[in-house]
């Protein structure tokens, strides 16, 4: 009941039920060049930060990683495989 009363009171006072602006840190909206990642999927987050600095946007690496993760671009490390030994090469 109190929730409904709050919404009705807010509508009468402000004319809308949309949430009001809040104080706090502003959300940084990044426009990453996804095409760069499609061309070279091995582009690192550090390289993207450097590219953004060149365009005049100062962004932390954690912000870039968070945005990449939101776009389903998750980082992974390549598997390490042992080198072929001479006796392996002779079998081939």
């Amino acid at each position: 009941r109190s929730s409904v009363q709050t919404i009705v009171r807010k509508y009468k006072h402000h004319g809308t039920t949309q949430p009001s602006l809040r104080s706090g840190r502003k959300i940084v909206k990044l426009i990453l060049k996804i095409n760069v990642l499609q061309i070279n999927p091995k582009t690192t987050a550090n390289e993207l930060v450097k590219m953004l600095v060149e365009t005049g946007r100062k962004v932390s690496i954690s912000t870039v990683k968070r945005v990449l993760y939101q776009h389903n671009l998750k980082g992974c490390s390549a598997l390490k495989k042992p080198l072929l030994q001479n006796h392996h090469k002779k079998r081939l």
Side-chain angles (χ1 to χ4, degrees), residues 51-68:
M51 290 170 56
L52 290 169
V53 167
E54 290 173 0
T55 61
R57 300 282 309 250
K58 184 180 178 195
V59 183
S60 69
I61 189 167
S62 59
T63 303
V64 171
K65 287 181 180 182
R66 185 179 65 247
V67 171
L68 290 173

Side-chain angles (χ1 to χ4, degrees), residues 22-28 63:
R22 312 249 173 164
S23 63
R25 187 175 178 91
K26 302 288 187 261
I27 296 173
V28 176
T63 303

Side-chain angles (χ1 to χ4, degrees), residues 9-88:
R9 190 178 323 121
K10 187 175 191 177
Y11 183 76
K12 286 181 180 178
H13 188 264
H14 296 290
T16 182
T17 58
Q18 294 295 324
S20 59
L21 294 176
R22 312 249 173 164
S23 63
R25 187 175 178 91
K26 302 288 187 261
I27 296 173
V28 176
K29 294 184 179 179
L30 288 179
I31 302 172
L32 294 176
K33 296 181 180 180
I34 304 299
N35 292 336
V36 172
L37 296 175
Q38 290 173 351
I39 293 170
N40 185 7
K42 294 184 179 181
T43 304
T44 63
N46 282 329
E47 292 172 1
L48 288 173
V49 169
K50 290 176 185 175
M51 290 170 56
L52 290 169
V53 167
E54 290 173 0
T55 61
R57 300 282 309 250
K58 184 180 178 195
V59 183
S60 69
I61 189 167
S62 59
T63 303
V64 171
K65 287 181 180 182
R66 185 179 65 247
V67 171
L68 290 173
Y69 191 81
Q70 289 171 351
H71 286 90
N72 289 328
L73 297 171
K74 300 172 178 96
C76 60
S77 299
L79 293 175
K80 297 193 179 207
K81 296 186 177 183
L83 298 175
L84 292 177
Q85 300 293 326
N86 285 333
H87 63 276
H88 294 136

Side-chain angles (χ1 to χ4, degrees), residues 1-11:
R1 179 177 174 188
S2 64
S3 298
V4 174
Q5 288 174 344
T6 304
I7 292 171
V8 169
R9 190 178 323 121
K10 187 175 191 177
Y11 183 76

